[in-house]
Amino acid sequence: MKKISNNIFLIMLIFGSLITISANSWLGAWMGLEINLLSFIPLMNEGKKNLMTSESSLKYFLTQAFASSILLFAIILMMMSFNLNWMNNNFYELLILSTLLLKNGAAPFHFWFPGVMEGLSWINGLILMTWQKIAPLMLISYNINYNFFFIAIILSMIIGALGGLNQTSLRKLMAFSSINHLGWMLMAMMNNELLWLIYFVFYFFLSMSIVLLFNNLKLFHFNQIFNFSMMNPVIKFFLFLNLLSLGGLPPFLGFLPKWLVIQNLVETNQLFLLFISVCLTLITLYYYLRMSYSIYMLNFNKNSWMLMNNFSNKNMTFILTMNFFSIMGLMIISLIYLIL
């Protein structure tokens, strides 16, 4: 019975986002966001009941409800200004943009995001990092203010890079990584309508491959990685390379969307933004490398009698196939391009 209700809520969650994307009025978009929010709360509380999950769902509900109420207020003000010929339209635009950035968890409105991520299961965390961003990002793309965007991008990059440096929790680390990637998506959105969607699809795939691996191995904290000496070397290697791919290191698939954004920034002569974003992404790459180093390079006593075969279940085969494409994707795309 519980599984049926979870499936219903998941379908409602998807429908809420689709209503927002396809809405032709701000009120319709707001309604879709609310349906999406109210169907995600029960999903957050599924499975093992603990204080962290309840706290996360409450934090999420309060911030999202706060953002929704201000968004509705801004929409009503904007409608009134159009009807009564009030002049200052820029204020409503900024108000709507800031509420949508709060819904997304982009800096400087990121304060709730790592805390909520910490209390969720990996699958719910994946939904929060990927699917829950689609609807607000679509609405942001209708409403671009370059000066405000510039501040949000630089702050997202800085907080995403520096926030993950002292983290021991893998979920918080992925949350700060998500904030950094959000900065790249907003940067792609500034110049090209299609580019941010391409970036998002790649980010979705990379996050999914690494989160499913973490979920399957039941990894939540940094010190759990130190027990990886017992782990199958192939899985260790996949995880190691996958983290580098998410960080955007060439020649992995994660570099491709960043490459496209960098090329776009060079063409539009936004070299200052390009310099800052590349420098701060190097810091995110550092904390991925630190994690990879602890997985693979450090020496441990290995028990020869403890045999663990992680290839037995079908899930692992699917996850490792995704990981393979995450690592080799750029080379495969290059080969297809050369052949065609």
Side-chain angles (χ1 to χ4, degrees):
M1 190 67 198
K2 200 168 186 184
K3 196 151 191 176
I4 295 166
S5 64
N6 280 351
N7 289 341
I8 291 165
F9 285 128
L10 194 63
I11 291 162
M12 289 292 286
L13 180 96
I14 293 163
F15 266 106
S17 294
L18 294 177
I19 288 165
T20 301
I21 292 163
S22 55
N24 59 1
S25 72
W26 280 106
L27 210 60
W30 175 82
M31 197 167 65
L33 287 170
E34 286 305 290
I35 293 166
N36 178 275
L37 162 66
L38 292 173
S39 51
F40 189 49
I41 301 281
L43 285 174
M44 291 170 97
N45 285 310
E46 59 151 351
K48 289 176 185 172
K49 284 274 186 292
N50 59 18
L51 281 172
M52 287 293 280
T53 318
S54 308
E55 188 188 323
S56 284
S57 55
L58 190 62
K59 273 183 193 170
Y60 184 75
F61 174 73
L62 289 173
T63 47
Q64 296 293 318
F66 174 67
S68 294
S69 58
I70 295 175
L71 178 64
L72 187 62
F73 176 65
I75 291 163
I76 293 164
L77 274 181
M78 194 167 65
M79 286 175 174
M80 283 171 69
S81 73
F82 278 126
N83 291 333
L84 302 171
N85 289 326
W86 294 344
M87 288 307 289
N88 189 11
N89 200 28
N90 202 32
F91 170 71
Y92 314 121
E93 192 180 284
L94 284 178
L95 203 57
I96 288 171
L97 256 179
S98 52
T99 54
L100 293 171
L101 287 173
L102 175 59
K103 276 193 163 293
N104 249 342
F109 310 105
H110 68 286
F111 54 89
W112 60 272
F113 191 56
V116 168
M117 270 291 289
E118 180 61 25
L120 296 183
S121 68
W122 273 120
I123 302 300
N124 285 333
L126 179 65
I127 294 170
L128 185 63
M129 284 193 299
T130 53
W131 185 264
Q132 294 298 86
K133 287 189 177 354
I134 296 173
L137 278 171
M138 269 290 180
L139 295 179
I140 288 167
S141 69
Y142 304 152
N143 198 15
I144 292 171
N145 180 306
Y146 284 94
N147 296 331
F148 192 66
F149 254 53
F150 196 79
I151 296 162
I153 288 163
I154 289 174
L155 283 174
S156 293
M157 294 275 185
I158 291 167
I159 284 156
L162 301 180
L165 281 177
N166 62 344
Q167 289 305 326
T168 54
S169 163
L170 295 180
R171 283 172 291 192
K172 274 192 178 174
L173 200 113
M174 290 299 284
F176 282 111
S177 160
S178 182
I179 292 166
N180 185 271
H181 281 286
L182 204 56
W184 278 88
M185 279 179 233
L186 292 173
M187 199 156 59
M189 199 187 284
M190 270 173 79
N191 303 315
N192 195 315
E193 184 65 39
L194 186 65
L195 193 58
W196 80 266
L197 274 170
I198 294 166
Y199 192 103
F200 184 83
V201 167
F202 279 105
Y203 170 67
F204 198 124
F205 179 78
L206 292 165
S207 294
M208 192 172 167
S209 61
I210 203 156
V211 164
L212 289 177
L213 196 56
F214 280 149
N215 185 50
N216 218 48
L217 299 172
K218 299 285 178 283
L219 288 176
F220 296 102
H221 292 279
F222 217 83
N223 56 0
Q224 288 173 284
I225 294 173
F226 297 134
N227 300 328
F228 254 50
S229 55
M230 323 296 189
M231 190 46 81
N232 193 308
V234 179
I235 296 173
K236 252 202 280 195
F237 191 63
F238 267 117
L239 185 55
F240 168 64
L241 292 182
N242 221 329
L243 285 164
L244 298 184
S245 181
L246 190 67
L249 190 78
F252 306 120
L253 186 65
F255 176 61
L256 182 60
K258 284 192 168 68
W259 189 6
L260 294 170
V261 176
I262 288 166
Q263 191 179 351
N264 190 268
L265 287 172
V266 170
E267 283 168 5
T268 51
N269 207 27
Q270 293 176 312
L271 300 179
F272 173 69
L273 203 56
L274 173 61
F275 173 73
I276 287 175
S277 57
V278 170
C279 286
L280 291 167
T281 304
L282 282 173
I283 300 172
T284 62
L285 200 57
Y286 160 74
Y287 60 70
Y288 288 130
L289 266 171
R290 188 182 60 150
M291 203 195 303
S292 309
Y293 185 81
S294 64
I295 292 168
Y296 218 75
M297 303 297 176
L298 298 179
N299 239 344
F300 296 101
N301 295 325
K302 189 166 181 178
N303 299 333
S304 56
W305 47 267
M306 190 163 180
L307 298 169
M308 286 177 72
N309 183 12
N310 287 287
F311 291 100
S312 53
N313 56 9
K314 287 177 183 175
N315 280 356
M316 207 61 190
T317 314
F318 170 68
I319 290 163
L320 290 178
T321 310
M322 283 184 72
N323 287 334
F324 171 77
F325 283 111
S326 161
I327 293 158
M328 301 297 290
L330 185 57
M331 295 174 200
I332 294 165
I333 289 166
S334 305
L335 275 172
I336 292 166
Y337 183 75
L338 283 169
I339 292 161
L340 296 174

